[in-house]
């Protein structure tokens, strides 16, 4: 969608703004459709996972590229640190891991007005661990269980302002659990949040 030719045509300021609104609306709609599809796939037991070799670093890089459009519109710096000793070619479902990372980074950027979002990736004993930390508003501990429930959103005005479906974290946690891991949150109001995803990522056999 980002490469829509219409945006490259010689348009006036108003047209460019209108086209961007159309693009944003289309992207939001696509996200809702995909969330609903994933939700019902998981619900009906029809979700299947690949176990194919992929590059861990490539997957993290792709996830960050996909979130770049959103982060470039905010005063938020996104950094990434992948432990040098981490295995690279691992076996698993690359697109589902990318989906979880995109969801966590997009949330972190969405709720953080200024500051940074730091992605730290480590790997040990066939388990991948990716922590996404932000300097955003933080989440009251009383909501840490609820935000992982389907259709649940935090109660702040920030959440209402940013929209969303309340499905992203529920889907991400279910996917992580089905891939041999989990997602946890550490956060308190006013001190940013860290969402940590773990999942099984055995070294790929040649
Ligand atoms: P959505 O973002 O569509 O509302 P999610 O399931 O992704 O749904 O998130 C649920 C809720 O968790 C959000 O509405 C928000 O209140 C809270 N949340 C998620 N990530 C963050 C974050 N990084 N900082 C602050 N609040 C967050």
């Amino acid at each position: 969608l980002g490469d829509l030719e219409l945006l490259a045509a010689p348009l006036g300021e108003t047209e460019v703004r209108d086209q961007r609104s159309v693009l944003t609306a289309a992207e939001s709609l696509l996200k809702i459709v995909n969330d609903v599809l994933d939700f019902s796939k998981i619900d009906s037991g029809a979700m299947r996972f690949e176990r194919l070799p992929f590059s861990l670093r490539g997957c993290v890089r792709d996830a960050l590229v996909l979130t770049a459009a959103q982060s470039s519109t905010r005063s938020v710096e996104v950094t990434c640190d992948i432990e040098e000793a981490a295995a690279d070619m691992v076996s698993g479902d690359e697109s589902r891991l990318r989906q979880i990372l995109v969801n966590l980074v997009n949330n972190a950027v969405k709720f953080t007005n200024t500051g940074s979002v730091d992605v730290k990736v480590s790997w040990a004993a066939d388990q991948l661990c990716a922590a996404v930390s932000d300097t955003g508003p933080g989440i009251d501990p009383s909501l840490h269980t609820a935000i992982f429930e389907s259709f649940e959103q935090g109660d702040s005005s920030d959440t209402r302002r940013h929209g969303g479906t309340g499905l992203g974290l529920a889907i991400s946690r279910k996917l992580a659990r089905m891939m041999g891991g989990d997602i946890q949150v550490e956060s308190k109001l006013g001190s940013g949040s860290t969402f940590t995803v773990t999942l099984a990522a055995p070294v790929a056999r040649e």
Side-chain angles (χ1 to χ4, degrees), residues 103 107-108 110-111 134 137-139 147 152-154 159 163-170 193 195:
N103 182 238
N107 268 355
K110 178 166 89 169
F111 290 102
D134 65 60
I139 304 162
I147 55 171
E152 287 290 340
Q153 298 184 301
T159 297
T165 56
L167 281 176
L169 285 178
S193 312
F195 284 84

Side-chain angles (χ1 to χ4, degrees), residues 37-118:
L37 280 177
D38 281 344
F39 183 72
S40 71
K41 228 180 197 180
I42 291 170
D43 216 35
S44 64
M47 182 65 82
R48 301 281 176 268
F49 294 90
E50 284 180 344
R51 276 194 193 183
L52 293 172
F54 70 91
S55 158
L56 188 52
R57 285 169 181 78
C59 178
V60 174
R61 191 184 51 232
D62 290 350
L64 292 178
V65 167
L66 285 170
T67 57
Q70 194 195 5
S71 49
S72 67
T73 62
R74 320 287 310 274
S75 338
V76 177
E77 191 196 2
V78 180
T79 70
C80 177
D81 175 33
I82 303 179
E83 194 184 52
E84 230 171 86
D88 192 42
M89 290 308 289
V90 295
S91 173
D93 195 317
E94 180 177 10
S95 64
R96 292 299 176 188
L97 169 59
R98 191 173 54 232
Q99 176 180 350
I100 294 172
L101 293 174
V102 166
N103 182 238
L104 296 182
V105 175
N106 270 341
N107 268 355
V109 171
K110 178 166 89 169
F111 290 102
T112 304
N113 285 329
T114 50
S116 63
V117 170
D118 302 308

